[in-house]
Amino acid sequence: MNSEHDQHENISFDNQETKIKHSGLGIASFIIGTISIVLAIVMFILLSMSVSNIIISAEPTEEEILELVSSQPLFITSILVLLIVLFIQIIGAIIGVISLFIKNRKKLFPILGTILNLLPILAIVVLLLLSLIIGTYTTSTISSYGVA
């Protein structure tokens, strides 16, 4: 009877499947990416609402800039929050990439977290490069026509 009990324990032990768990860092990266994107969308909406009230001359004076800052706190706050969100997304992307290399963990959340955190960063880089190219092209075009 004792040997039969030992066989039963071995069978039940051998039949247990080792379930692969989700990566905690991957889930954290996914949550950071999701919250950051939602917060960025809200800040862009607030920023666009505050920009409609702003009129700046081609070469603003220091007084005009100070007046803008004091009269449009939502504009400045939105920009600061977007910079903080960008920093948080960089951290989320690093956590996502690190969690991709953890063994014996599912890779769904690390992949989603990395993508959610890297896409907005990539979009900002592309927009900055496009604005640099357009600014250079516009400046060279205007100077070639002799307009100062």
Side-chain angles (χ1 to χ4, degrees):
M1 173 142 185
N2 193 13
S3 65
E4 184 179 316
H5 182 67
D6 289 338
Q7 281 181 336
H8 182 64
E9 283 182 347
N10 287 340
I11 292 172
S12 64
F13 181 74
D14 290 338
N15 286 340
Q16 286 182 349
E17 294 180 15
T18 55
K19 294 183 179 181
I20 298 176
K21 296 180 180 180
H22 285 285
S23 170
L25 287 176
I27 293 171
S29 175
F30 176 75
I31 291 171
I32 288 171
T34 304
I35 291 173
S36 296
I37 287 176
V38 169
L39 189 58
I41 290 170
V42 169
M43 287 301 114
F44 272 118
I45 291 170
L46 292 175
L47 189 62
S48 65
M49 288 172 31
S50 66
V51 166
S52 63
N53 301 329
I54 298 174
I55 300 172
I56 298 179
S57 61
E59 294 182 26
T61 62
E62 188 174 323
E63 288 116 16
E64 287 176 334
I65 294 173
L66 288 174
E67 183 181 329
L68 169 69
V69 170
S70 63
S71 67
Q72 297 293 331
L74 183 63
F75 178 76
I76 302 301
T77 304
S78 298
I79 290 176
L80 289 175
V81 170
L82 283 172
L83 290 174
I84 292 169
V85 166
L86 177 66
F87 179 71
I88 290 171
Q89 285 181 323
I90 291 171
I91 292 172
I94 291 170
I95 291 172
V97 169
I98 289 171
S99 64
L100 285 171
F101 294 103
I102 296 176
K103 293 182 180 180
N104 299 327
R105 297 287 186 216
K106 292 183 181 180
K107 303 297 181 199
L108 174 67
F109 286 111
I111 292 170
L112 290 175
T114 304
I115 290 171
L116 284 177
N117 285 301
L118 284 180
L119 278 180
I121 296 169
L122 182 64
I124 290 171
V125 169
V126 167
L127 286 174
L128 287 174
L129 289 175
L130 282 174
S131 65
L132 184 68
I133 292 168
I134 291 171
T136 304
Y137 176 74
T138 306
T139 306
S140 65
T141 305
I142 290 174
S143 64
S144 68
Y145 287 116
V147 178

